[in-house]
Amino acid sequence: MKTVILIGFMGCGKTSLGQYAADRLGMAFVDTDSRVEEICGMPISRIFAERGEAWFRQLESEVLADCCRRGGTIVATGGGIVKDPRNAALVHENNGFLLYLRTDPEEIYRRLRDDNSRPLLNPYLGEAKLRRICELMDERKLLYEEAADDVFDEQGASMEEIGEELSVRIREIASESAKI
Ligand code: S3P
């Protein structure tokens, strides 16, 4: 069974939807941000403040490499994982599948308006936060699209409905690859 790696912008639901689908399908689940936090014994915001983004990116790639070696797992990644093209290449070398969870910036803003766990958005409030999300999305949109093997457009009234649709898609991906 293929390992399915979820990519997409902060707040698109990689962790919550990925965990939902893993429970639904009886697949293992790993969140790269949580693994990094576990290894370092501190939250991402402190890692950025004390060690810097480059240091975080290095460890994030090492954690991803470890995830790629497992089969039949759903992996939620950090939104910046596509910044280094070697990460997508690593997934493909290990027969993994990159699924892009696509959400629009307004929806991301609605979800992250009161969140303070994302160091790249923390300095911004209100309209400035929405502008920063749009800027970052412009920088990364193409990276997500180019890295992805497929795109999952988030639709549906609730996270549960989206989670159900995503579970169906992931089951198709996993069973399709099982036939090969
Ligand atoms: C980041 C996204 C975060 C986390 C870090 C950097 C990014 O993960 O890895 O704050 O560069 O977009 P989420 O996408 O889970 O918020």
Side-chain angles (χ1 to χ4, degrees):
M1 230 191 217
K2 254 187 214 284
T3 281
V4 179
I5 317 278
L6 304 178
I7 57 172
F9 203 81
M10 291 172 262
C12 72
K14 299 173 297 278
T15 302
S16 49
L17 294 168
Q19 180 71 71
Y20 183 98
D23 292 345
R24 196 81 174 78
L25 301 172
M27 291 173 76
F29 176 74
V30 180
D31 178 84
T32 59
D33 280 342
S34 302
R35 277 295 295 138
V36 167
E37 289 182 329
E38 245 170 58
I39 292 167
C40 297
M42 59 175 103
I44 302 282
S45 50
R46 226 177 108 199
I47 299 174
F48 268 63
E50 291 184 14
R51 310 257 168 95
E53 182 174 349
W55 194 91
F56 167 79
R57 295 290 171 209
Q58 177 61 37
L59 186 53
E60 182 180 48
S61 294
E62 286 167 23
V63 166
L64 179 70
D66 188 44
C67 290
C68 284
R69 287 190 274 273
R70 306 161 182 241
T73 301
I74 298 175
V75 181
T77 59
I81 203 121
V82 291
K83 283 175 73 178
D84 184 344
R86 283 174 300 183
N87 287 331
L90 182 81
V91 171
H92 291 135
E93 276 159 28
N94 286 278
N95 200 32
F97 191 98
L98 287 160
L99 185 59
Y100 171 27
L101 305 191
R102 187 157 58 189
T103 322
D104 56 67
E106 288 74 21
E107 176 61 21
I108 299 283
Y109 174 64
R110 202 182 57 74
R111 293 180 193 171
L112 297 186
R113 199 167 29 200
D114 301 319
D115 172 276
N116 59 6
S117 67
R118 269 77 174 192
L120 298 181
L121 298 177
N122 275 353
Y124 307 93
L125 291 171
E127 284 295 304
K129 193 170 199 170
L130 176 59
R131 274 199 302 278
R132 186 64 189 137
I133 290 171
C134 291
E135 278 166 14
L136 274 176
M137 187 72 99
D138 279 349
E139 282 171 24
R140 292 186 177 173
K141 202 170 169 286
L142 214 61
L143 297 178
Y144 293 129
E145 286 171 358
E146 283 175 358
D149 295 301
D150 202 359
V151 179
F152 177 83
D153 273 308
E154 292 186 10
Q155 278 152 359
S158 65
M159 287 306 264
E160 199 180 348
E161 279 173 305
I162 300 171
E164 283 300 313
E165 277 182 44
L166 180 65
S167 304
V168 171
R169 179 74 70 87
I170 291 179
R171 189 174 40 217
E172 281 166 7
I173 294 166
S175 57
E176 192 51 39
S177 62
K179 284 189 221 150
I180 296 169

